[in-house]
Amino acid sequence: MPDIVFMLLFFFMVSTTMKEVDMKVQMKAPEATELVKLEKKSLVTYIYVGVPMRQYQGRYGTEPRIQLNDQFATVGDIQSYIVQEREGLRENDRQLMTVSIKADHDCPMGIITDIKQALRKAQALKINYSARQMDQLTYN
Amino acid sequence: MAKRETPEVNAGSLADIAFLLLIFFLMTTTMDTDSGLGRMLPPPIPTDEPPPPPIRERNVFEVLINANNQLLVEGSPMSLRELKDAAKEFIENPMNLETLPEVVVVELPEIGTIATTPKAVISLQNDRGTQYQTYLSVQNELQRAYTELRDELSRKTFNKAYTELDTDRQRLIREVYPQKISEAEPRNVGGGS
C-alpha cells in the first residue's frame, strides 16, 4: 500500500506545474469550440488582460489592465517585452514564438486591438486567443 | 551475551506522510493544457507602400460587430446562430450566384476537378467597445465554417475526417478552402465609446 501511494506521489510531483506568475488581474477566459492546443510551453509568451484584483484596485483602478510577467504594464511596454522574450529563445525557435492573449471574456475590444497592433509592430504575428473548451457555443 | 536489538525506525507513519503529500500535490496540480483560437496577424504595413488594389464587392463577406455586440453581415443584421451557415454558403458559393464570390474550377491531384472560390475573403471589423467574448464567438463561428467545409470535402474524397489526414492531404484540402479572415485596421464602427 505505501508503495502505491509513493508511486502516485511521484507521478503528481513530476507532472505538477506550479503557476509561474501570480495573477494580478481577474481573468475568466471566454468560451469557444474550435480550439487548438498550445504545443511547446517554452515558446509561448503570455499577455494577461483584465480588471485588477480587488487589492490592486486602489492603485490601478477598475478598468481592464495589461499584466506582463508579474507587473502591470501599458500597451507601450509590450514591444520591448516581446523583444526581450524573443531574445531569450534559441535562434531557430524565434519564428515559432507564439503569444497567448489571456484576456477576460468581458473586457472591451479596444484594449485587445491595441495589443494586437503592438504585437504587429513587434513582429510577433503568431497569436492565440486563450479560451475554454465548450461542447456547444451558447448563443445570446 | 545479551541479544543486541537492532534499532528500528518507526515507519508506521510513513504512509500517512506520503498520503498527506499526495493529497497536497493532487490539490495543487493543474493539468490544464493551454488552448485557444490560433490566429496569424498581418505584418505591419510600411507607410510608403501604395494601398492594395480594391477587392470586388462580391468577393468580400463583411462582418461588423458594434459596441452592443450586434452583428451586421453584408449590410443586414444577423444573429450569431446564423453566421456559420451564411459564411459557409459564401465560401462555397454552391449555386454559382452573381452576388457570391467568383467560382474558379481547378484540377487538383487526388481530389480531381473542383469548384473553388480563391478570391473569397471574410472581412471582420469590430468596435472598440465590443465585448471580447462576442468577438471570439464570431471568430469561432467563422473558424467553424472553414472546419466544416474542409471536413465535408475530406470525408467525400478520402472517407476520413480532416484531422485524421496526413499533412500533404491536409494541405490539398486547405488549397481548396484557404482560410482568409481579414481584420480591418481598427476604427470605430459605431454604437458607443
Side-chain angles (χ1 to χ4, degrees), chain A residues 29-128:
Chain A
E31 295 162 345
T33 59
E34 307 294 307
L35 299 182
V36 287
K37 282 214 175 84
L38 280 172
E39 292 296 338
K40 287 202 178 148
K41 280 255 165 83
S42 56
L43 299 178
V44 182
T45 305
Y46 295 97
I47 294 177
Y48 301 91
V49 186
V51 173
M53 294 272 192
R54 183 65 48 86
Q55 66 266 37
Y56 301 109
Q57 281 183 359
R59 266 180 81 188
Y60 297 101
T62 53
E63 284 293 299
R65 296 285 304 246
I66 301 167
Q67 182 192 345
L68 304 173
N69 279 338
D70 272 341
Q71 279 153 11
F72 284 103
T74 58
V75 178
D77 299 329
I78 288 179
Q79 207 164 338
S80 56
Y81 172 69
I82 294 293
V83 169
Q84 186 195 326
E85 290 285 308
R86 195 185 281 138
E87 292 286 298
L89 294 177
R90 272 191 317 208
E91 197 97 14
N92 36 355
D93 284 343
R94 289 183 189 165
Q95 305 288 322
L96 302 169
M97 185 170 122
T98 309
V99 179
S100 174
I101 300 179
K102 285 174 162 283
D104 189 75
H105 72 289
D106 200 28
C107 70
M109 276 306 291
I111 190 163
I112 310 279
T113 309
D114 292 342
I115 292 171
K116 274 158 65 184
Q117 291 301 96
L119 289 177
R120 282 176 67 184
K121 267 198 215 122
Q123 292 285 352
L125 303 178
K126 204 162 169 239
I127 60 166
N128 186 292

Side-chain angles (χ1 to χ4, degrees), chain B residues 149-168:
Chain B
L149 282 172
R150 286 172 179 175
D151 215 42
E152 279 165 23
L153 179 66
S154 153
R155 282 184 195 282
K156 215 164 61 186
T157 35
F158 303 119
N159 275 319
K160 261 194 213 165
Y162 172 72
T163 44
E164 288 165 16
L165 296 178
D166 54 55
T167 41
D168 284 341

Side-chain angles (χ1 to χ4, degrees), chain B residues 11-167:
Chain B
S13 51
L14 201 66
D16 299 0
I17 297 165
F19 244 126
L20 212 79
L21 278 170
L22 175 62
I23 288 164
F24 169 72
F25 279 104
L26 260 170
M27 299 293 244
T28 54
T29 265
T30 43
M31 286 294 221
D32 60 346
T33 43
D34 265 315
S35 55
L37 278 179
R39 282 283 177 273
M40 287 297 283
L41 293 173
I45 309 166
T47 41
D48 53 346
E49 197 167 276
I55 306 170
R56 283 180 63 184
E57 207 275 320
R58 67 180 287 197
N59 290 326
V60 183
F61 186 73
E62 200 183 37
V63 182
L64 304 176
I65 321 168
N66 73 3
N68 301 322
N69 303 327
Q70 291 156 325
L71 266 66
L72 193 73
V73 179
E74 293 282 71
S76 52
M78 184 181 277
S79 75
L80 192 60
R81 202 186 298 268
E82 300 159 291
L83 180 65
K84 185 204 73 191
D85 290 324
K88 270 175 84 174
E89 202 195 340
F90 168 82
I91 301 161
E92 206 177 12
N93 194 3
M95 306 298 218
N96 202 354
L97 293 176
E98 281 283 299
T99 48
L100 294 178
E102 295 158 45
V103 172
V104 179
V105 177
V106 290
E107 178 91 36
L108 286 171
E110 288 197 82
I111 296 177
T113 46
I114 187 162
T116 59
T117 53
K119 287 181 182 167
V121 174
I122 293 178
S123 156
L124 179 59
Q125 250 183 71
N126 59 271
D127 187 84
R128 287 187 72 84
T130 306
Q131 195 195 18
Y132 183 52
Q133 171 72 66
T134 310
Y135 169 79
L136 214 69
S137 299
V138 168
Q139 285 266 22
N140 190 67
E141 290 304 281
L142 297 177
Q143 177 79 56
R144 211 147 69 89
Y146 278 108
T147 313
E148 282 188 13
L149 282 172
R150 286 172 179 175
D151 215 42
E152 279 165 23
L153 179 66
S154 153
R155 282 184 195 282
K156 215 164 61 186
T157 35
F158 303 119
N159 275 319
K160 261 194 213 165
Y162 172 72
T163 44
E164 288 165 16
L165 296 178
D166 54 55
T167 41

